[in-house]
Amino acid sequence: MTDDDFALSRRSFLDHVLLASAGAGMSAAAPWAALAAEDPAMGPRVRMGVIGTGDRGRTLIQNINKTRNCAVTALCDTFAPNIAKARAYVPANTPVFSDHRAMLDAKGIDAVVVATPLDLHARHTLDALDAGYPVFCEKAMARSIADCTAMVARARQRGKVLQIGHQRLFNPTYLNALKRAQAGEIGAITQIRASWHRNRSWRRKLPPGGQDREINWRLYRDRSAGLMTELATHQLQVANWFLGALPTRVMGSGSICFWKDGRDVYDQVALIYDYADGRKLIYTSMLNNARYGCEEQIQGSTGTIEPELGRIYREVPPAQVPALARMRSDVQAGRKRAVPIGGATWFPELPVVTPGDSLGWGEYDETMLQFEGFGEAVRTGKEVPGLLAQAYYASVASLLGEQAIDEGRPLAWPADLLTF
Ligand SMILES: NC(=O)c1ccc[n+]([C@@H]2O[C@H](COP(=O)([O-])OP(=O)(O)OC[C@H]3O[C@@H](n4cnc5c(N)ncnc54)[C@H](O)[C@@H]3O)[C@@H](O)[C@H]2O)c1
């Protein structure tokens, strides 16, 4: 499949999604089932009040504006400069609040979007559900497993939709990759190697009037689990999705290795998540080397998928070039790499660098699409199937990983989680 034949109209995209997500337990999320018509009669736009107008909140507002079925009709933030920036993306008469309860009481909204720091997700979500509103909350769900569970339980109790911001579930490249993996194109997937490596401190410069623990909440344990909840949670969702399973246990190691600047979250983590039948996710994240970036290498017996790069590779036998022959051709081609040792008959097992095939790209942004899905869920009162389970288990996996690192011992998957 090439980029060209994956050029997606919204209709053919929906067909791909439905195929990709058909009938497989954990992977049964069909985000657009309800949007399957080319031009659905969507009725009036779902009016959203956004709590948290920081970096992500403003990105969400811009994406909500692009949807066919949602609009932002109220803003709430405790930090006035961020409200001022967000106003640029909404009509001038949009009401603004500094207290989320006042926004919930004021009416004029049909649903609530939560994009506040992690430690506030549970409070803002529970208050909104209690006030009778469906909620879209950013990932990770909450700062503790107990709070994640409480959010799902309260949504059930109130009969309200709760959707979490795992946008890869709406990403055409990922959906195509999943469809092809489920069709057996890369054989038996036994290992996923995932990384999110950056080379920057994550520390934000304080704006006038900004407090460190408010602006840099990601760097403090009481507010965030750092790399685990802010980054790994996305990739744990992907691993569970492609393996069609939940981890059985996790072990890990973490350190504050490079950015010794007063933060108390790890700036480097390495974990192994075990799955049934000996399968594994091997995960690393760090903040002082970006060469390997953000990727999930989904490794099967007949191929590999790298969804961030948008490539699928067939497993081909490594070129059997004897070491001396390789050295001769390297010299002739002017390539400078390690001189092989071990003699003419030794075959160096170098990484395979075939270019693979494209997984294709979608025409629509996944963050916009997740709001079209949410808008439809609010309108029908029916959650998009599978999404909340994916989010809940990904958040649990990230928090359990943090705990395994802290305690320095393998931890079994909790037995007392909610089921879906
Ligand atoms: N899905 C993704 O890819 C993605 C990407 C980035 C961030 N996020 C998530 O979005 C959330 C926000 O991240 P961010 O980078 O925008 O953080 P941020 O610090 O830029 O924004 C948070 C905002 O919440 C406001 N806030 C704090 N306390 C509040 C309160 N009591 N009531 C109302 N507003 C309050 C802050 O003033 C700030 O404007 C986090 O959960 C983060 O993990 C998700």
Side-chain angles (χ1 to χ4, degrees), residues 51-58 60 76-80 82-83 97-100 114-118 120-121 123-124 136-140 165-168 196 204 214-218 223 229-230 233-234 367 370:
I51 310 177
T53 57
D55 285 357
R56 186 64 180 169
R58 295 196 300 276
L60 297 183
C76 171
D77 202 295
T78 47
F79 190 55
N82 282 351
I83 283 271
F97 301 87
S98 56
D99 176 350
H100 73 282
V114 176
T116 48
L118 179 66
L120 300 174
H121 287 186
R123 194 210 306 165
H124 289 147
F136 175 98
C137 178
E138 261 305 343
K139 59 36 73 180
H166 277 283
Q167 65 270 22
R168 282 163 183 74
W196 203 323
R204 292 164 163 171
E214 292 299 323
I215 302 298
N216 287 311
W217 56 270
R218 277 181 178 77
R223 310 215 62 187
T229 46
E230 302 312 312
T233 182
H234 282 299
T367 301
Q370 69 177 345

Side-chain angles (χ1 to χ4, degrees), residues 10 14 30-35 42 46 48 67-70 136 161 163 170 365-385 387:
R10 210 169 280 205
L14 296 173
W32 301 277
L35 293 177
M42 287 190 161
V46 174
M48 302 197 176
T67 64
R68 297 172 296 174
N69 58 351
C70 305
F136 175 98
V161 168
Q163 187 173 315
F170 292 80
D365 181 273
E366 70 260 27
T367 301
M368 183 278 281
L369 284 165
Q370 69 177 345
F371 276 103
E372 288 206 343
F374 180 59
E376 190 61 12
V378 172
R379 198 179 65 76
T380 60
K382 291 199 187 95
E383 251 162 32
V384 179
L387 294 189

